[in-house]
Amino acid sequence: MPLHHLSVPEAVAGTIAALLLLTQLALFRSVVLSELITLYAVQSLFVACICLDVGLVAGAWDLIALAILTFLFKVIALPIYMRRLMNGVSTRVEIPSKINVLLSLLIAAALVGIGCLTASQLPLKTGAFLPIADLATMLSIVFIGFLVAILRPNAFAQVIAFLTLENGVFFGAVTLAPGQPFVVGILVLFDVLVAVVVFAVLVRILVAIRSSAATAQLQELIG
Amino acid sequence: MLSLSPLAVQAAQVLTVTLLSPLLSGVISRTEAMLAGKRGPSVFQPYRDIIKFFRKQRLLPEHASWVFRAAPYAACGAYATFATLIPVLTTYPLPGATYGDILGSAFVFAFGSFVTALAAIDGASQYTSIGASRATMVGVLVEPTLIFVFFSVAFITGTDLPYALNATLRASAADVLRPAHVLATAAFFMMMLVDTGRIPIESSSATIEFGMIDDARLFEHSGPEMALFKWGSAMKQFLLYTVFVNVLLLPMGLSSTGSLQTVLLAIVLLFVKMCIVACAVVIIETTFAKLRLYKITEFIATGLLVAVLAVFAYAVGFG
């Protein structure tokens, strides 16, 4: 394959895409809730960086403002809130015995492969920010986010999986369609807020009833 | 401007690796201690240790053969040869540098570990044999990851000669940041932690036989041979850091003319770049917990996964 030399914005987008993918894969390695929250904060920082980068390259003040809002909300406020919510809950995430860390990583790798293959087959125009890599990253993060939510039976791990999934969508939206209106970005942030509030209620109820955030106990519910 | 002959620069390259490697180990130990809130040993302590071992008496196990005595010399020789094959100080190939590509260099490098393991088994002690078996197991698992890393970098740059890899990445600085290359570099960094015996794989300062891998192989050695092994271990670390900074991560700051000033500047810059990488390693070492022995495969498997993704990413046009 002939070498296509990258421009600086492409290189930055590519690096952040790779870093996002690495943090997403790291979710499987982590079995302690505080580590999961840290990983989410780090991933959100990368998303804020790419938003700022796209804003600076495209000269769009709304994206720069969105980057600052993302930083304040997702990197600082939300992790602090989740750490406070975590008090009094068991800090370890349960891992099913049949699908262990290694196997879940292999499944994740296969999903990344599907994401990359799908993105490479689409006729994307070459933009300023490596569109194929961005779409592949977005798809991979969404797939892995779902996988984490399925394989980790813990309300906290599931909310973090959902939030990282949203980070992937946000990354894809910012790099593939940098001209999106400011209000759409704000709405995505608001969406996260609603999800966190719902999960917070769920976690509080689970902890109040069973002093654990494991979702397995929900199977005992009778309608 | 005083210009050095290529042969002199090659000698300087080997001398840089040989003489500065204990200093790098010293800097890492000192930084580790400082981060842990201690004063720590002097950065020159590894030199003192090596000199102390050179002065000590040589004791050999009863049944040890010539392999036991020759191994440290062969290991140090392999590391010194490796130093001639990679870009340590210059951007242009020096005499003998093109005798081996990156895979050939890796074989020379692996020879050092091989003879160390042979000597450990030759000593006929249980502890050293266990150390050799663990080190070989880890080495076998690391090998495919490194091959994938070099394949992915070779795909991106279209060559697998270390000097040519360096030149291609230097020609376009942004290419260092392409996703496939970032993933490959991340995988190499993880394998560097494994190969240099750092946390999360093992604790470099531990003396408990249960968790030891690399150091466990050296229990039976003493005197000058032990000094050579310690020195070789420092050289191994220095060389891996050199490949990381000069071939993969920051291929800038090397001498392109071979003049005395630029070579000296390259030595200083190389050490500064290495100290930056060492800081990252030390931060990992102080913030992460050591993995249990049977969990090491998970860490290496994650590295392999990242390296495979790097090749795959490039193959499907990911970047």
Side-chain angles (χ1 to χ4, degrees):
Chain A
M1 191 182 287
L3 185 68
H4 156 67
H5 286 295
L6 301 184
S7 63
V8 174
E10 280 179 334
V12 173
T15 309
I16 290 181
L19 293 174
L20 284 176
L21 215 50
L22 287 175
T23 44
Q24 190 73 354
L25 284 171
L27 287 181
F28 284 110
R29 272 294 309 135
S30 202
V31 291
V32 183
L33 284 177
S34 62
E35 275 181 24
L36 286 176
I37 296 171
T38 310
L39 279 172
Y40 171 67
V42 170
Q43 196 184 47
S44 304
L45 180 68
F46 293 142
V47 171
C49 287
I50 191 71
C51 192
L52 184 69
D53 178 48
V54 175
L56 290 174
V57 171
W61 66 268
D62 52 341
L63 282 177
I64 297 170
L66 205 56
I68 296 167
L69 278 177
T70 306
F71 179 79
L72 292 175
F73 186 62
K74 287 188 188 173
V75 184
I76 297 175
L78 211 53
I80 291 175
Y81 176 66
M82 286 202 290
R83 275 180 208 282
R84 284 182 60 187
L85 198 64
M86 207 178 70
N87 287 339
V89 183
S90 163
T91 54
R92 292 196 76 79
V93 178
E94 302 78 8
I95 296 177
S97 56
K98 282 181 186 166
I99 301 178
N100 57 16
V101 171
L102 210 54
L103 193 57
S104 48
L105 273 171
L106 283 175
I107 300 172
L111 291 175
V112 175
I114 292 170
C116 290
L117 278 175
T118 313
S120 66
Q121 296 303 314
L122 293 172
L124 291 168
K125 288 178 188 167
T126 48
F129 301 100
L130 285 181
I132 292 176
D134 297 338
L135 187 64
T137 308
M138 185 178 104
L139 289 174
S140 306
I141 289 177
V142 170
F143 289 156
I144 297 174
F146 277 126
L147 193 66
V148 174
I150 293 165
L151 295 183
R152 299 286 180 263
N154 182 295
F156 265 108
Q158 288 173 352
V159 70
I160 287 167
F162 172 78
L163 293 174
T164 55
L165 185 150
E166 185 273 334
N167 265 349
V169 175
F170 188 68
F171 168 75
V174 165
T175 47
L176 292 168
Q180 64 164 347
F182 182 61
V183 68
V184 176
I186 296 291
L187 278 175
V188 172
L189 276 179
F190 187 70
D191 185 37
V192 173
L193 188 69
V194 172
V196 169
V197 168
V198 170
F199 270 101
V201 172
L202 175 69
V203 168
R204 277 178 199 281
I205 291 170
L206 281 174
V207 171
I209 297 171
R210 294 288 175 92
S211 65
S212 158
T215 51
Q217 54 197 285
L218 293 177
Q219 288 172 354
E220 294 166 16
L221 292 175
I222 299 167
Chain B
M1 198 184 284
L2 181 61
S3 187
L4 299 171
S5 73
L7 217 55
V9 182
Q10 183 67 287
Q13 193 156 288
V14 177
L15 280 176
T16 306
V17 173
T18 319
L19 298 179
L20 282 185
S21 51
L23 184 62
L24 180 70
S25 302
V27 170
I28 293 175
S29 305
R30 173 101 191 190
T31 321
E32 253 172 35
M34 281 163 71
L35 271 181
K38 302 174 204 161
R39 220 175 110 210
S42 155
V43 290
F44 299 106
Q45 190 59 39
Y47 291 103
R48 289 183 200 140
D49 289 345
I50 288 169
I51 292 167
K52 182 185 75 183
F53 277 119
F54 268 121
R55 284 182 184 156
K56 286 206 169 194
Q57 191 191 356
R58 175 188 288 117
L59 284 173
L60 296 174
E62 200 179 340
H63 304 291
S65 70
W66 62 271
V67 174
F68 189 85
R69 289 190 300 274
Y73 301 95
C76 279
Y79 296 138
T81 312
F82 185 75
T84 64
L85 297 170
I86 57 166
V88 180
L89 299 177
T90 60
T91 55
Y92 56 91
L94 295 165
T98 49
Y99 288 165
D101 61 0
I102 198 93
L103 286 178
S105 314
F107 284 134
V108 174
F109 200 72
F111 181 71
S113 299
F114 172 68
V115 289
T116 313
L118 271 189
I121 297 166
D122 196 48
S125 157
Q126 295 158 350
Y127 285 127
T128 54
S129 301
I130 286 173
S133 98
R134 282 178 187 166
T136 313
M137 179 199 81
V138 169
V140 164
L141 294 170
V142 166
E143 209 68 31
T145 310
L146 288 181
I147 288 173
F148 268 107
V149 167
F150 294 137
F151 275 178
S152 77
V153 180
F155 277 143
I156 294 164
T157 57
T159 172
D160 69 344
L161 275 173
Y163 278 94
L165 292 174
N166 174 281
T168 318
L169 292 175
R170 218 164 4 88
S172 166
D175 281 336
V176 178
L177 297 176
R178 80 178 42 241
H181 189 79
V182 173
L183 289 171
T185 310
F188 186 85
F189 183 76
M190 290 169 83
M191 292 309 110
M192 204 170 77
L193 293 180
V194 177
D195 260 349
T196 52
R198 295 275 155 193
I199 281 172
I201 297 301
E202 64 175 308
S203 172
S204 57
S205 55
T207 50
I208 306 162
E209 292 89 348
F210 281 128
M212 284 172 90
I213 300 175
D214 280 327
D215 282 351
R217 298 177 298 179
L218 312 177
F219 280 154
E220 291 291 307
H221 287 275
S222 57
E225 277 83 19
M226 186 63 170
L228 281 175
F229 269 132
K230 290 271 176 204
W231 203 345
S233 164
M235 280 165 72
K236 181 181 173 185
Q237 175 171 269
F238 194 91
L239 288 166
L240 281 168
Y241 278 40
T242 310
V243 173
F244 186 65
V245 296
N246 274 0
V247 178
L248 295 170
L249 192 66
L250 298 160
M252 299 85 187
L254 283 89
S255 164
S256 55
T257 55
S259 67
L260 185 62
Q261 288 91 328
T262 54
V263 169
L264 287 175
L265 186 69
I267 294 173
V268 174
L269 284 175
L270 175 68
F271 202 75
V272 170
K273 286 192 282 187
M274 279 187 174
C275 287
I276 295 168
V277 177
C279 280
V281 172
V282 168
I283 289 169
I284 289 172
E285 187 125 39
T286 46
T287 50
F288 280 69
K290 185 188 168 301
L291 289 171
R292 275 172 286 177
L293 198 66
Y294 64 90
K295 291 273 181 188
I296 288 174
T297 45
E298 277 180 13
F299 183 82
I300 301 175
T302 313
L304 176 66
L305 192 80
V306 174
V308 171
L309 283 180
V311 176
F312 191 76
Y314 183 75
V316 298
F318 186 84

